Amino acid sequence: MTRQNAREMMMQILYQLDVNNEFDVDKQEKYLENLDMGKQEEYCRNILSLVCNKKKEIDEKISSNCRNWTVNRMPKTDLAVLRLAVCEILFLDDMPNSVSINEAVELAKAYGGENSYRFINGILSAVTGEKNG
């Protein structure tokens, strides 16, 4: 499995967690138990654990960087992509921000609405601007 495949899988799991309201570290194993993660297992487990443990902080960062939207009003697919990318930007120092943004835009094009990728790109650009500023 490539990192790109792992990101797509994590985005789908984050979507499921949101739909099921199960952002609980103790329940994350049920989402991973039958997956063949290969060399990306550490990345997948790390992302899932970070998002479950830091969801409030991640959501606050998303909310503070978008106008006229709250995380509760966002499409769940867009929110899953944003949570994944913001998690990478804030907590994975070995991941270049540009890679996180580019991958999020590609996921948004594949899974989101017609303008999701623009919306996501704008929020993530603001988040990285804050982090680097």
Side-chain angles (χ1 to χ4, degrees):
M1 171 181 293
T2 66
R3 178 62 56 94
Q4 187 175 26
N5 296 131
R7 272 193 192 87
E8 184 174 9
M9 186 172 56
M10 288 297 95
M11 185 276 298
Q12 292 170 348
I13 289 173
L14 294 177
Y15 174 86
Q16 290 174 5
L17 291 172
D18 197 15
V19 168
N20 296 325
N21 196 26
E22 286 191 326
F23 285 96
D24 183 348
V25 172
D26 297 329
K27 295 183 180 185
Q28 71 183 17
E29 191 57 39
K30 82 177 192 179
Y31 290 92
L32 298 175
E33 64 188 355
N34 295 318
L35 299 176
D36 181 15
M37 297 174 274
K39 294 179 181 178
Q40 299 302 322
E41 183 172 357
E42 182 180 347
Y43 167 82
C44 292
R45 290 185 180 284
N46 193 22
I47 287 292
L48 199 52
S49 178
L50 282 167
V51 173
C52 286
N53 285 314
K54 308 270 188 185
K55 180 180 168 283
K56 184 178 183 210
E57 184 178 342
I58 291 168
D59 285 358
E60 285 172 358
K61 186 61 74 173
I62 293 167
S63 292
S64 70
N65 283 288
C66 59
R67 291 182 284 259
N68 304 321
W69 282 93
T70 63
V71 292
N72 296 331
R73 287 185 53 224
M74 287 180 194
K76 291 190 183 310
T77 51
D78 291 359
L79 188 54
V81 171
L82 282 167
R83 283 177 172 149
L84 173 62
V86 170
C87 179
E88 286 184 353
I89 290 165
L90 295 180
F91 304 114
L92 300 184
D93 293 333
D94 62 336
M95 182 74 55
N97 292 342
S98 60
V99 171
S100 297
I101 293 171
N102 289 337
E103 292 292 326
V105 166
E106 291 306 313
L107 285 170
K109 287 178 180 177
Y111 290 94
E114 185 177 327
N115 293 312
S116 292
Y117 74 96
R118 288 185 184 113
F119 176 69
I120 287 169
N121 186 52
I123 292 172
L124 296 177
S125 295
V127 169
T128 57
E130 274 184 3
K131 181 182 175 193
N132 297 330

